[in-house]
Structure formats: C-alpha cells, structure tokens
Amino acid sequence: MGRIATYAEGLVQPAAAVVGVALSIDISLIDGETMGLALNDAALLREYLLAHHASGPIATLGVVDIRFTQKEFRRAMGSLPLWPRSDQPLDARGFFKQCGVSDLLSIDVSKYEGADVEFDLNNPDLPAELREKFGVVLNGGTLEHVFHVPNALTNISRMLRPGGLVVHILPMSNCVDHGFYQFSPTFMLDYYAASRFDLLNSASIHFDRSFEGPWQVKPALHGSYGEGLLGVMDSRIALHMFVARKRQDSLDSAIPIQSLYGRKFGAQGPATNSIEWFSPFQMQAGRRLASRSPVELTVASPSADGGRMWSVALPSSAPAGDSNLNPVASPLALFEDGKLLGPAHASHDAIRELGGGSYSHWGSALYFSSSDGSDPDRNGRQYTCKW
C-alpha cells in the first residue's frame, strides 16, 4: 500500500472491456471487516469515474473504509488544488467528491458497521425506494460474501438508473479464506454482455501481499480468460476437496451468511466443528507419501486477557506465529478435549467479543477462547496444540 500502480503497461482504455474486474484485498488489516479501499484501487477507481463522467448519488455495498491519508492521496494524484497536506485519514465522502460524485449511501446486510440502509442482497425483492436511484453502484468487496450471487447482481442492476455505472472490485485468485467465491474475469465479461450493458473497462491487478512493492495492472479481455484452462495466471493451482453427509433434519436449500459475519451479526452461531484434523502430507502417483507425526503441547495456566480471551506464552520450540507481515503464518491447531477449535488466525477483538473457540497464534503467544466462554483454567477441559 502507499504506492500507486504503474498504468503505462496494459491498462485498458475506455470503451474496451467490462466495468472493472480487479483484485481488492486490503493488506493492512488481519480481519478486514469493512470495505477497505487501498490507495491503488482508489487511484484506478477515480480515473474510471472521471473518464466516464460519473454522477451521483453513489451506492456502496458495504461501508467504505479509506486506508490512506489526505497527504498520500494528494501525492498520488499529483495535483489537487487546495487539497490538505494532512496525515489525517481521508473519509469516503471526501474521496468520492474528488471523483466527481456526491451523495453517498452505504447498503449492507446489517448496520453493524454503520451502513445507511440495511438490506440483504440475497433477497430478490429490492425496496422500491432503491430502484433506479443511483448513478453509480460500487461493489468494492461485498459480492464474494453474498451466497445468492444472481439475486445480488439483479439488485445491483435495479438500483442503477439508465446511464448509471456499476463498478466491481472482486477477488480473483488466491483469496481462498476471504469469502464464499473467487471470480474469473469471464464471469463479469459474459454476465454484463448478456445483460446488454456497455462494457467499459476491465483490468486485473496483481501484487505480492508480503511487501509494499508496485501493483501490476494488466488488461482482462475477452479471449484472455474463459477457455476452460487451468493455470493461466501462474503455475500454482489450488483445489478444495470436501465431503459431507446429509442428516434426517437436513434442508433441501439454504442461504447462508458467511460465518465470519454471521457470528458478528448474531444471525448464526459458530458451526459445529466435526472435521477431522490431520497432519499435512504429499501425494505422488496416487500414493500418500510419509509425513511426520505432529508435535503436541498441553496449554497450561492461561491468563485472562479481556472478555472471552485468554493467553499463554509458547515455548521457543513452537513454530513461528502470525505477524503483520504474514497474518496466516502459523500452522498451529488448537484442540479442546480432542475436538478441533476455530476459527484460527482470528482477530483479537473477535476472540474477546465472540469467543466460540476462536484463537490466534500471534508472535510467540497463543490467544484463545473456550468453546462456550467458560474459564479454560477451571472448566476441567484439556487444551492441546498440535503442529
């Protein structure tokens, strides 16, 4: 963050492909609650909105959290007359005013983060007062968290008045712990072509989240994607293999809220964690290669650390914990009486406020909660780490 992307190579000019398919992952936070807008995303967004003469009001899906200061924005833009040189954070209304758009309205499934309007995009019945109301609808990190994507896209289109712009910033690859979905560029290209929208801009953004280097901006055009090939981005491919059993009380259909947000909103508690934990291993030619037995450590005498959180120092023999540089570095798994707890890598605020077995191996310490909020030093259960 803090460095503007180089646009000279590969930026699609107006009248090329679709309203922006780009990768927007806020690399400054661990748990990323609000819709974080990094400086590089903001620079491209401003360029597109000004180029297409966008006008308000603008609807943002989620509350926009600007992740740069007034001074950083001024430096990136080059020339902003009378613009402050302050190190104060830039607010969303101030940013969109610099994009030529006024009258900001935020829409979210809950007012937990201060949204102006509470509406679930899974719901096919858009309120009449939101229909054809907006000149711009910005999805800067919400669609991947909505289960019913078709309903959400229909709602977005209905929110726009004729001539309005839809802007999507979407996770595309290697965002497996971020939301329900990762989107191929062909999804946006094909969907909006079929919806008879004018296709304006399409870009893919690539960066290494482990350092503050430049972001690479490339065109994402028809024919570049969508041919059914694997490994077109780079040589690394990841798959998810999953098995579940239907029960007597299983439902034929459901619309979930992502568990991260479901816990916060109180819409659903943490899921029962019955998935088997196993040591990582490799396979070759259909055979499982040998893996080492895990190291086990009993957690003893934890200290209260506010709310539902408890902490304990780990020995030097433990693996490296999470850090700002790598918030998912730790391979440590935590068990309560032999049952796997989670989620791991949780923010410390979430552990304090929500508990539910969430934990974090940060630095050289373990921060955790019991499954039911009880005192882990007195509830008679055994807590064990494995790695």
Side-chain angles (χ1 to χ4, degrees), residues 328-348:
V328 290
S330 173
L332 182 146
L334 179 64
F335 299 81
E336 181 184 71
D337 283 346
K339 295 182 179 180
L340 181 64
L341 294 178
H345 313 290
S347 74
H348 294 180

PDB file of all heavy atoms in Angstrom, residues 328-348:
ATOM      1  N   VAL A 328      -1.249 -15.300   8.366  1.00  0.00           N
ATOM      2  CA  VAL A 328      -1.665 -16.706   8.394  1.00  0.00           C
ATOM      3  C   VAL A 328      -0.439 -17.605   8.368  1.00  0.00           C
ATOM      4  O   VAL A 328      -0.443 -18.675   7.758  1.00  0.00           O
ATOM      5  CB  VAL A 328      -2.631 -17.043   7.232  1.00  0.00           C
ATOM      6  CG1 VAL A 328      -3.971 -16.384   7.438  1.00  0.00           C
ATOM      7  CG2 VAL A 328      -2.029 -16.636   5.885  1.00  0.00           C
ATOM      8  N   ALA A 329       0.626 -17.194   9.057  1.00  0.00           N
ATOM      9  CA  ALA A 329       1.876 -17.954   9.044  1.00  0.00           C
ATOM     10  C   ALA A 329       1.803 -19.217   9.895  1.00  0.00           C
ATOM     11  O   ALA A 329       2.407 -20.236   9.563  1.00  0.00           O
ATOM     12  CB  ALA A 329       3.031 -17.076   9.527  1.00  0.00           C
ATOM     13  N   SER A 330       1.070 -19.167  10.999  1.00  0.00           N
ATOM     14  CA  SER A 330       1.120 -20.257  11.972  1.00  0.00           C
ATOM     15  C   SER A 330       0.398 -21.505  11.476  1.00  0.00           C
ATOM     16  O   SER A 330      -0.747 -21.444  11.033  1.00  0.00           O
ATOM     17  CB  SER A 330       0.480 -19.816  13.296  1.00  0.00           C
ATOM     18  OG  SER A 330       0.384 -20.913  14.181  1.00  0.00           O
ATOM     19  N   PRO A 331       1.056 -22.681  11.597  1.00  0.00           N
ATOM     20  CA  PRO A 331       0.405 -23.949  11.266  1.00  0.00           C
ATOM     21  C   PRO A 331      -0.234 -24.606  12.487  1.00  0.00           C
ATOM     22  O   PRO A 331      -0.721 -25.731  12.402  1.00  0.00           O
ATOM     23  CB  PRO A 331       1.577 -24.795  10.768  1.00  0.00           C
ATOM     24  CG  PRO A 331       2.725 -24.353  11.615  1.00  0.00           C
ATOM     25  CD  PRO A 331       2.508 -22.870  11.872  1.00  0.00           C
ATOM     26  N   LEU A 332      -0.257 -23.906  13.612  1.00  0.00           N
ATOM     27  CA  LEU A 332      -0.720 -24.485  14.873  1.00  0.00           C
ATOM     28  C   LEU A 332      -2.233 -24.713  14.862  1.00  0.00           C
ATOM     29  O   LEU A 332      -3.009 -23.870  14.398  1.00  0.00           O
ATOM     30  CB  LEU A 332      -0.331 -23.555  16.019  1.00  0.00           C
ATOM     31  CG  LEU A 332      -0.649 -23.958  17.457  1.00  0.00           C
ATOM     32  CD1 LEU A 332       0.443 -23.442  18.389  1.00  0.00           C
ATOM     33  CD2 LEU A 332      -1.995 -23.392  17.887  1.00  0.00           C
ATOM     34  N   ALA A 333      -2.645 -25.885  15.369  1.00  0.00           N
ATOM     35  CA  ALA A 333      -4.063 -26.204  15.546  1.00  0.00           C
ATOM     36  C   ALA A 333      -4.332 -26.374  17.033  1.00  0.00           C
ATOM     37  O   ALA A 333      -3.506 -26.939  17.759  1.00  0.00           O
ATOM     38  CB  ALA A 333      -4.424 -27.472  14.789  1.00  0.00           C
ATOM     39  N   LEU A 334      -5.488 -25.901  17.502  1.00  0.00           N
ATOM     40  CA  LEU A 334      -5.830 -25.938  18.919  1.00  0.00           C
ATOM     41  C   LEU A 334      -7.034 -26.852  19.143  1.00  0.00           C
ATOM     42  O   LEU A 334      -8.023 -26.778  18.403  1.00  0.00           O
ATOM     43  CB  LEU A 334      -6.148 -24.528  19.426  1.00  0.00           C
ATOM     44  CG  LEU A 334      -6.549 -24.398  20.896  1.00  0.00           C
ATOM     45  CD1 LEU A 334      -5.394 -24.805  21.814  1.00  0.00           C
ATOM     46  CD2 LEU A 334      -6.991 -22.962  21.207  1.00  0.00           C
ATOM     47  N   PHE A 335      -6.934 -27.697  20.170  1.00  0.00           N
ATOM     48  CA  PHE A 335      -7.976 -28.676  20.471  1.00  0.00           C
ATOM     49  C   PHE A 335      -8.471 -28.503  21.902  1.00  0.00           C
ATOM     50  O   PHE A 335      -7.715 -28.158  22.806  1.00  0.00           O
ATOM     51  CB  PHE A 335      -7.433 -30.102  20.297  1.00  0.00           C
ATOM     52  CG  PHE A 335      -6.968 -30.403  18.914  1.00  0.00           C
ATOM     53  CD1 PHE A 335      -5.707 -29.990  18.485  1.00  0.00           C
ATOM     54  CD2 PHE A 335      -7.771 -31.087  18.025  1.00  0.00           C
ATOM     55  CE1 PHE A 335      -5.262 -30.270  17.204  1.00  0.00           C
ATOM     56  CE2 PHE A 335      -7.336 -31.360  16.738  1.00  0.00           C
ATOM     57  CZ  PHE A 335      -6.079 -30.953  16.328  1.00  0.00           C
ATOM     58  N   GLU A 336      -9.778 -28.741  22.094  1.00  0.00           N
ATOM     59  CA  GLU A 336     -10.398 -28.748  23.416  1.00  0.00           C
ATOM     60  C   GLU A 336     -10.951 -30.148  23.652  1.00  0.00           C
ATOM     61  O   GLU A 336     -11.886 -30.567  22.957  1.00  0.00           O
ATOM     62  CB  GLU A 336     -11.523 -27.711  23.466  1.00  0.00           C
ATOM     63  CG  GLU A 336     -12.228 -27.600  24.811  1.00  0.00           C
ATOM     64  CD  GLU A 336     -13.393 -26.634  24.746  1.00  0.00           C
ATOM     65  OE1 GLU A 336     -14.414 -26.990  24.103  1.00  0.00           O
ATOM     66  OE2 GLU A 336     -13.290 -25.522  25.296  1.00  0.00           O
ATOM     67  N   ASP A 337     -10.346 -30.873  24.585  1.00  0.00           N
ATOM     68  CA  ASP A 337     -10.704 -32.281  24.818  1.00  0.00           C
ATOM     69  C   ASP A 337     -10.699 -33.078  23.517  1.00  0.00           C
ATOM     70  O   ASP A 337     -11.597 -33.886  23.248  1.00  0.00           O
ATOM     71  CB  ASP A 337     -12.073 -32.389  25.505  1.00  0.00           C
ATOM     72  CG  ASP A 337     -12.004 -32.073  26.991  1.00  0.00           C
ATOM     73  OD1 ASP A 337     -10.878 -32.027  27.536  1.00  0.00           O
ATOM     74  OD2 ASP A 337     -13.067 -31.876  27.604  1.00  0.00           O
ATOM     75  N   GLY A 338      -9.698 -32.833  22.685  1.00  0.00           N
ATOM     76  CA  GLY A 338      -9.528 -33.586  21.450  1.00  0.00           C
ATOM     77  C   GLY A 338     -10.333 -33.085  20.274  1.00  0.00           C
ATOM     78  O   GLY A 338     -10.175 -33.593  19.165  1.00  0.00           O
ATOM     79  N   LYS A 339     -11.216 -32.076  20.473  1.00  0.00           N
ATOM     80  CA  LYS A 339     -12.015 -31.530  19.373  1.00  0.00           C
ATOM     81  C   LYS A 339     -11.368 -30.251  18.849  1.00  0.00           C
ATOM     82  O   LYS A 339     -11.013 -29.365  19.618  1.00  0.00           O
ATOM     83  CB  LYS A 339     -13.446 -31.242  19.843  1.00  0.00           C
ATOM     84  CG  LYS A 339     -14.221 -32.493  20.228  1.00  0.00           C
ATOM     85  CD  LYS A 339     -15.644 -32.141  20.636  1.00  0.00           C
ATOM     86  CE  LYS A 339     -16.440 -33.390  20.995  1.00  0.00           C
ATOM     87  NZ  LYS A 339     -17.836 -33.052  21.396  1.00  0.00           N
ATOM     88  N   LEU A 340     -11.227 -30.192  17.539  1.00  0.00           N
ATOM     89  CA  LEU A 340     -10.590 -29.051  16.903  1.00  0.00           C
ATOM     90  C   LEU A 340     -11.409 -27.779  17.129  1.00  0.00           C
ATOM     91  O   LEU A 340     -12.615 -27.745  16.885  1.00  0.00           O
ATOM     92  CB  LEU A 340     -10.437 -29.309  15.403  1.00  0.00           C
ATOM     93  CG  LEU A 340      -9.774 -28.222  14.574  1.00  0.00           C
ATOM     94  CD1 LEU A 340      -8.326 -28.017  15.003  1.00  0.00           C
ATOM     95  CD2 LEU A 340      -9.844 -28.584  13.090  1.00  0.00           C
ATOM     96  N   LEU A 341     -10.753 -26.722  17.606  1.00  0.00           N
ATOM     97  CA  LEU A 341     -11.401 -25.426  17.774  1.00  0.00           C
ATOM     98  C   LEU A 341     -11.167 -24.567  16.537  1.00  0.00           C
ATOM     99  O   LEU A 341     -10.464 -24.932  15.613  1.00  0.00           O
ATOM    100  CB  LEU A 341     -10.865 -24.726  19.018  1.00  0.00           C
ATOM    101  CG  LEU A 341     -11.176 -25.383  20.369  1.00  0.00           C
ATOM    102  CD1 LEU A 341     -10.533 -24.601  21.517  1.00  0.00           C
ATOM    103  CD2 LEU A 341     -12.685 -25.493  20.582  1.00  0.00           C
ATOM    104  N   GLY A 342     -11.752 -23.376  16.528  1.00  0.00           N
ATOM    105  CA  GLY A 342     -11.573 -22.462  15.404  1.00  0.00           C
ATOM    106  C   GLY A 342     -12.675 -21.419  15.370  1.00  0.00           C
ATOM    107  O   GLY A 342     -13.648 -21.514  16.136  1.00  0.00           O
ATOM    108  N   PRO A 343     -12.545 -20.416  14.513  1.00  0.00           N
ATOM    109  CA  PRO A 343     -11.501 -20.310  13.505  1.00  0.00           C
ATOM    110  C   PRO A 343     -10.139 -19.919  14.060  1.00  0.00           C
ATOM    111  O   PRO A 343     -10.058 -19.233  15.078  1.00  0.00           O
ATOM    112  CB  PRO A 343     -12.031 -19.213  12.575  1.00  0.00           C
ATOM    113  CG  PRO A 343     -12.886 -18.365  13.474  1.00  0.00           C
ATOM    114  CD  PRO A 343     -13.516 -19.316  14.444  1.00  0.00           C
ATOM    115  N   ALA A 344      -9.091 -20.369  13.369  1.00  0.00           N
ATOM    116  CA  ALA A 344      -7.738 -19.932  13.674  1.00  0.00           C
ATOM    117  C   ALA A 344      -7.493 -18.559  13.054  1.00  0.00           C
ATOM    118  O   ALA A 344      -8.331 -18.056  12.295  1.00  0.00           O
ATOM    119  CB  ALA A 344      -6.742 -20.949  13.113  1.00  0.00           C
ATOM    120  N   HIS A 345      -6.378 -17.943  13.391  1.00  0.00           N
ATOM    121  CA  HIS A 345      -5.971 -16.648  12.824  1.00  0.00           C
ATOM    122  C   HIS A 345      -7.040 -15.571  13.065  1.00  0.00           C
ATOM    123  O   HIS A 345      -7.187 -14.638  12.274  1.00  0.00           O
ATOM    124  CB  HIS A 345      -5.695 -16.765  11.314  1.00  0.00           C
ATOM    125  CG  HIS A 345      -4.850 -17.933  10.932  1.00  0.00           C
ATOM    126  ND1 HIS A 345      -3.512 -18.025  11.240  1.00  0.00           N
ATOM    127  CD2 HIS A 345      -5.167 -19.092  10.280  1.00  0.00           C
ATOM    128  CE1 HIS A 345      -3.040 -19.171  10.787  1.00  0.00           C
ATOM    129  NE2 HIS A 345      -4.015 -19.848  10.208  1.00  0.00           N
ATOM    130  N   ALA A 346      -7.819 -15.724  14.120  1.00  0.00           N
ATOM    131  CA  ALA A 346      -8.893 -14.769  14.391  1.00  0.00           C
ATOM    132  C   ALA A 346      -8.312 -13.460  14.935  1.00  0.00           C
ATOM    133  O   ALA A 346      -7.246 -13.443  15.554  1.00  0.00           O
ATOM    134  CB  ALA A 346      -9.871 -15.355  15.402  1.00  0.00           C
ATOM    135  N   SER A 347      -9.007 -12.362  14.686  1.00  0.00           N
ATOM    136  CA  SER A 347      -8.577 -11.091  15.270  1.00  0.00           C
ATOM    137  C   SER A 347      -8.777 -11.147  16.777  1.00  0.00           C
ATOM    138  O   SER A 347      -9.685 -11.824  17.281  1.00  0.00           O
ATOM    139  CB  SER A 347      -9.373  -9.925  14.675  1.00  0.00           C
ATOM    140  OG  SER A 347     -10.691  -9.904  15.183  1.00  0.00           O
ATOM    141  N   HIS A 348      -7.960 -10.438  17.505  1.00  0.00           N
ATOM    142  CA  HIS A 348      -8.045 -10.483  18.958  1.00  0.00           C
ATOM    143  C   HIS A 348      -9.335  -9.835  19.456  1.00  0.00           C
ATOM    144  O   HIS A 348      -9.886 -10.249  20.488  1.00  0.00           O
ATOM    145  CB  HIS A 348      -6.805  -9.830  19.566  1.00  0.00           C
ATOM    146  CG  HIS A 348      -5.548 -10.608  19.260  1.00  0.00           C
ATOM    147  ND1 HIS A 348      -4.306 -10.232  19.703  1.00  0.00           N
ATOM    148  CD2 HIS A 348      -5.357 -11.750  18.536  1.00  0.00           C
ATOM    149  CE1 HIS A 348      -3.402 -11.102  19.284  1.00  0.00           C
ATOM    150  NE2 HIS A 348      -4.020 -12.029  18.562  1.00  0.00           N
TER     151      HIS A 348
END
